[in-house]
Amino acid sequence: MKPSIQPNKIVVLSGSGISAESGLPTFRDSGGLWKQYSWQEVASPEGWATRPQAVLDFYNERRAQAWVAQPNAAHLAIASLEERYEVVVITQNVDELHERAGSSHVIHVHGRIAFARGTSVPPKRYRLDAAPISLGQLCEDGTQLRPDIVWFGEDIEHYGEARAHVATASKVLVVGTSLSVFPAASLATLARGRAEKVLVAFDVEKIPYGFKFLRGKAAALIPTLAENWLRQDKAGDLTASETVS
Ligand code: APR
C-alpha cells in the first residue's frame, strides 16, 4: 500500500550544481573536483587509512571555501517556498547554503563539511565551522577526528527518511546533480506518478521517467519556478514547468 501524497509537500533533491553559482566546485563537470583529485585517495576509507593527511588537507580546504560561500538565488528561492508549502530539502551537498538561505528542513545524505566526528559507533560529532582538522586531534573517545562526510563505500545517511519524504511529495524538484551516485540518485525515481516532477541541470546521465528537464543555471531557473509554484492555486492549474522558459 503506497503512502498517500501530501498535496502541500515539496521535496527538493539537490547536488553540487546548485552551489556552483556560490563559487563552490562541482565534481564531474570539466574542472570539477574529481577531475583534479582521485576520489579513491581523498574520499574513501582506503584513502583515509593510507594517507590521512591528504584526506584532511582536501576537506580542510573545502571547509574553508564552504564557510565563506553565500547562498545564491536558487537556495533563496527554495527557502521562499516555505511561505506556502512544507518543503523538505534532501541534499547530497555538504555545505550549509540551504540552511543559510532559510530552509528549515534540510537532510544531508552525504554528511556535513562544518562538522568532524570520531570513529566510534555511534560517532560523537563536533561543529568546526571553518576550523581545520589536524592529525593527532582526537575525539573524546580517543579516536582520530575525521570529516563528518560519507565517503565512497560508506552507508548513506538518513536514507529511509529521505525515501519516505520523496514518496509522499506532490512536487519533486531535482536540481544540480548528475544523478550518477547511488543510492542518492535513486531517490528521484521514487517520485510518484501523479507528482509534478522537474529536473534542473546542464547535463545528466539519464533523465528519470516523468521528469520535465529544464537545462540551465539553477540561479536563473529556480526563482521563476518557485514564483510559479507560489502563485499556483489549490487546483495547481498553473503547471510551473510549462511556464518556465
Ligand atoms: N545550475 C544547475 N546545474 C548545474 C550548474 C548550475 N549552475 N552547474 C553544474 N550543474 C550540474 C551539472 O550539469 C551536473 O549535472 O550539476 C551537476 C553536478 O553533478 P556532479 O558534479 O556529479 O555533482 P553531484 O551530482 O552533486 O555528485 C553527487 O558524488 O562525489 C560524490 O558525494 C559526492 O555528493 C556528491 C555526489
Side-chain angles (χ1 to χ4, degrees):
M1 173 74 174
K2 288 199 173 189
S4 53
I5 294 179
Q6 294 170 32
N8 204 41
K9 182 172 183 177
I10 296 178
V11 167
V12 178
L13 174 62
S14 67
S16 61
I18 196 172
S19 298
E21 289 157 278
S22 297
L24 297 181
T26 61
F27 292 95
R28 295 171 185 82
D29 290 327
S30 57
L33 287 169
W34 299 149
K35 299 283 192 289
Q36 305 166 50
Y37 295 88
S38 146
W39 60 262
Q40 294 90 336
E41 285 178 15
V42 296
S44 76
E46 296 71 24
W48 177 242
T50 47
R51 293 179 59 216
Q53 189 58 59
V55 175
L56 292 176
D57 292 346
F58 175 72
Y59 285 101
N60 287 343
E61 189 185 329
R62 291 186 59 208
R63 186 173 309 109
Q65 276 183 345
W67 189 248
V68 297
Q70 293 303 315
N72 62 54
H75 297 103
L76 294 166
I78 287 166
S80 75
L81 288 167
E82 293 190 14
E83 288 158 29
R84 167 132 175 245
Y85 296 93
E86 178 202 352
V87 183
V88 179
V89 177
I90 299 167
T91 186
Q92 299 171 90
N93 299 341
V94 294
D95 61 59
E96 297 183 323
L97 297 179
H98 281 298
E99 291 91 334
R100 288 197 211 146
S103 288
S104 60
H105 190 168
V106 182
I107 298 173
H108 289 268
V109 294
H110 287 166
R112 294 177 295 174
I113 194 84
F115 288 77
R117 63 173 150 103
T119 47
S120 59
V121 178
K124 294 185 185 317
R125 288 184 160 88
Y126 306 88
R127 180 176 259 284
L128 295 172
D129 292 344
I133 303 175
S134 50
L135 268 187
Q137 198 176 350
L138 304 183
C139 169
E140 59 201 89
D141 66 10
T143 59
Q144 166 66 48
L145 278 182
R146 59 164 276 184
D148 188 19
I149 300 286
V150 176
W151 286 329
F152 286 96
E154 295 186 320
D155 289 340
I156 189 173
E157 293 178 344
H158 313 297
Y159 188 45
E161 185 188 351
R163 289 168 59 89
H165 281 305
V166 177
T168 54
S170 64
K171 297 181 190 309
V172 178
L173 167 61
V174 176
V175 48
T177 175
S178 60
L179 292 174
S180 53
V181 172
F182 289 80
S186 65
L187 289 167
T189 62
L190 299 176
R192 303 290 286 279
R194 284 192 299 114
E196 189 175 349
K197 299 178 278 292
V198 180
L199 166 62
V200 172
F202 282 126
D203 45 49
V204 284
E205 307 235 334
K206 186 170 171 297
I207 301 172
Y209 179 76
F211 275 75
K212 170 100 180 177
F213 179 37
L214 303 176
R215 182 189 301 276
K217 291 192 170 188
L221 294 179
I222 304 290
T224 309
L225 181 64
E227 220 173 275
N228 288 326
W229 278 352
L230 286 168
R231 280 191 303 126
Q232 246 178 22
D233 64 18
K234 293 285 176 224
D237 64 355
L238 180 73
T239 41
S241 46
E242 285 159 20
T243 55
V244 175
S245 53

